[in-house]
């Protein structure tokens, strides 16, 4: 670690957040403001979220600019294994040879062998896969540490990150709490926060979105009593209770709107149109100097189409479960 580096005035794309924490814009697909990674520059330095394969070199250069060598990084942790958060894990492991890779146990095997994950992603994204995410490369299994419902990451000097299983957005999702600052790294569990407008919208993609699990995670995050919320999309937010309440209200609004549309027609395009008309239209417009390309990429990742598809998938699963339960009841009566 090179303490002679002036970290109070870092290069563009790196934001000091106090207590040796730096937000790093991973420049997903070359665009700013989409995925935020975080470096905690302590005795045992740690990176939270790595972005895509194309982001690995961006993070590497940021770590060096903040006075660390590749050998200094002790831990790389991802909140979940979706490609915009963890697609660069294998590349990062190669660039930072001493770092332990921490992930929830339900995602660990996909980091070691990403073939199935990449095949599923190719079905969803098609020709856009390489442009948006690149290719996830395997991470050596011996370097991966999986955690369950809770876990702990040593940051040195008595400071830790505690991990908390937080499903709803994904079955392999977890939140992280900094013992020194009370910061809560939320991944996608609260949705997407737009720094430019102050709006927050849910992230409910298929196939794992589950409303009751999402609400349980929101209650867990409320009970933690965090001092700040560290969004992967995008940046740090200080109004913790208000933001969690808004995230829950938005989640209910999206689900209720899709449920109403789904009950009447079952048509996905109609549900998307309803959400755009009744829900998305409420959000503040972007400022004139905002990147329209970056906004379009973020909308692709977590806009009306992706979110409604996930909600419809969950509603269909509920209907199937109810039909199966009714069938079982009829068989028992017979």
């Amino acid at each position: 670690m090179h303490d002679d580096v002036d970290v109070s005035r870092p290069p563009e794309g790196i934001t000091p957040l106090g207590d040796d924490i730096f937000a790093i814009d991973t420049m997903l697909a070359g665009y700013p403001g989409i995925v935020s990674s975080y470096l905690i520059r302590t005795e045992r330095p740690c990176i939270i979220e790595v972005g895509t394969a194309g982001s690995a070199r961006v993070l590497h250069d940021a770590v060096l600019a903040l006075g660390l060598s590749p050998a200094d990084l002790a831990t790389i942790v991802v909140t979940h294994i979706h490609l915009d958060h963890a697609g660069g894990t294998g590349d990062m492991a190669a660039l930072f040879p001493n770092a332990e890779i921490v992930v929830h146990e339900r995602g660990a095997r996909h980091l070691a062998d990403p073939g199935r994950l990449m095949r599923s992603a190719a079905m969803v994204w098609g020709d856009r896969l390489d442009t948006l995410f690149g290719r996830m490369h395997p991470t050596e299994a011996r370097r991966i540490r999986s955690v369950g419902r809770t876990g702990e990451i040593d940051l040195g000097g008595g400071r830790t990150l505690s991990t908390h299983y937080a499903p709803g957005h994904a079955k392999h999702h977890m939140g992280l709490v900094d013992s020194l600052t009370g910061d809560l790294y939320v991944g996608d569990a609260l949705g997407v926060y737009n720094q430019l407008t102050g709006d927050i919208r849910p992230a409910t993609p298929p196939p794992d979105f589950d409303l009751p699990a999402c609400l349980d995670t929101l209650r867990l995050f409320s009970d933690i009593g965090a001092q700040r919320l560290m969004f992967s999309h995008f940046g740090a937010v200080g109004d913790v209770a208000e933001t969690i309440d808004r995230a829950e209200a938005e989640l209910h609004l999206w689900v209720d709107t899709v449920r109403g549309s789904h009950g009447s027609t079952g048509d996905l395009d109609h549900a998307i149109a309803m959400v755009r008309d009744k829900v998305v239209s409420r959000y503040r417009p972007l400022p004139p100097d905002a990147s329209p390309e970056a906004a379009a990429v973020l909308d692709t990742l977590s806009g009306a189409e992706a979110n409604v598809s996930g909600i419809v998938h969950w509603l269909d699963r509920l209907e199937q479960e109810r039909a199966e339960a009714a069938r079982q009841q009829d068989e028992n009566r017979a």
Side-chain angles (χ1 to χ4, degrees), residues 46 48 91 104 111 116 133 141 156 162 174 182 193 249 299 329:
C46 174
I48 301 166
D91 300 83
H104 186 264
L111 297 187
R116 181 179 173 186
F133 306 112
S162 58
M174 60 186 184
Y193 177 79
D299 191 62
Q329 281 188 339

Side-chain angles (χ1 to χ4, degrees), residues 15-314:
T15 305
L17 298 174
D19 296 300
D20 293 314
I21 304 166
F22 299 86
I24 304 169
D25 191 329
T26 68
M27 297 296 293
L28 183 143
Y31 298 116
I34 299 174
V35 177
S36 184
S37 175
Y38 296 90
L39 172 67
I40 306 178
R41 189 180 176 270
T42 49
E43 290 179 18
R44 291 179 50 79
C46 174
I47 277 183
I48 301 166
E49 307 288 52
V50 300
T52 65
S55 300
R57 183 56 60 177
V58 174
L59 288 180
H60 174 271
D61 293 348
V63 168
L64 267 58
L66 290 170
L68 303 179
S69 75
D72 289 330
L73 195 66
T75 310
I76 296 167
V77 55
V78 293
T79 61
H80 60 300
I81 61 167
H82 288 165
L83 294 179
D84 52 329
H85 296 253
T89 306
D91 300 83
M92 289 288 289
L95 289 170
F96 298 97
N98 295 332
E100 180 180 60
I101 316 301
V102 181
V103 63
H104 186 264
E105 60 190 7
R106 299 190 74 159
R109 64 188 177 96
H110 296 290
L111 297 187
D113 180 7
R116 181 179 173 186
L117 181 66
M118 290 306 303
R119 287 191 295 272
S120 297
M123 292 176 63
V124 173
W125 298 105
D127 294 341
R128 296 177 293 181
L129 178 65
D130 287 335
T131 303
L132 288 174
F133 306 112
R135 299 281 163 170
M136 179 189 275
H137 295 113
T139 301
E140 291 178 279
R142 66 178 180 83
R143 294 182 59 188
I144 299 171
R145 176 161 68 95
S146 60
V147 294
R149 184 156 294 277
T150 58
E152 190 169 280
I153 297 164
D154 180 14
L155 299 176
R159 185 174 178 178
T160 62
L161 279 177
S162 58
T163 71
H164 300 266
Y165 185 44
H169 171 80
K171 293 177 181 176
H172 40 76
H173 194 290
M174 60 186 184
L176 311 159
V177 181
D178 186 329
S179 65
L180 176 69
T181 64
D183 292 330
L184 171 58
Y185 294 84
V186 300
D188 281 349
L190 292 183
V192 173
Y193 177 79
N194 191 323
Q195 281 191 322
L196 300 177
T197 65
D199 290 313
I200 186 167
R201 64 181 71 187
T204 61
D208 287 355
F209 168 66
D210 182 277
L211 179 61
C214 273
L215 295 174
D216 285 345
T217 289
L218 293 181
R219 282 189 285 272
L220 168 67
F221 283 5
S222 291
D223 291 343
I224 284 171
Q227 297 304 302
R228 281 187 301 190
L229 302 172
M230 313 296 259
F231 280 85
S232 302
H233 313 287
F234 182 89
V237 177
D239 297 326
V240 174
E242 178 196 1
T243 302
I244 293 175
D245 287 345
R246 287 171 57 204
E248 181 173 351
E250 286 295 319
L251 180 60
H252 281 299
L253 179 60
W254 280 69
V255 170
D256 290 346
T257 302
V258 175
R259 182 183 274 126
S261 171
H262 188 255
S264 61
T265 67
D267 182 75
L268 180 62
D269 290 337
H270 178 60
I272 293 170
M274 290 276 286
V275 164
R276 284 186 171 138
D277 181 51
K278 292 188 174 183
V279 180
V280 177
S281 63
R282 300 157 45 250
Y283 298 134
R284 298 176 182 87
L286 291 170
D289 59 345
S291 165
E293 294 86 2
V297 170
L298 191 55
D299 191 62
T300 298
L301 294 176
S302 187
E305 185 175 343
N307 280 352
V308 171
S309 296
I311 296 169
V312 167
H313 187 273
W314 172 69

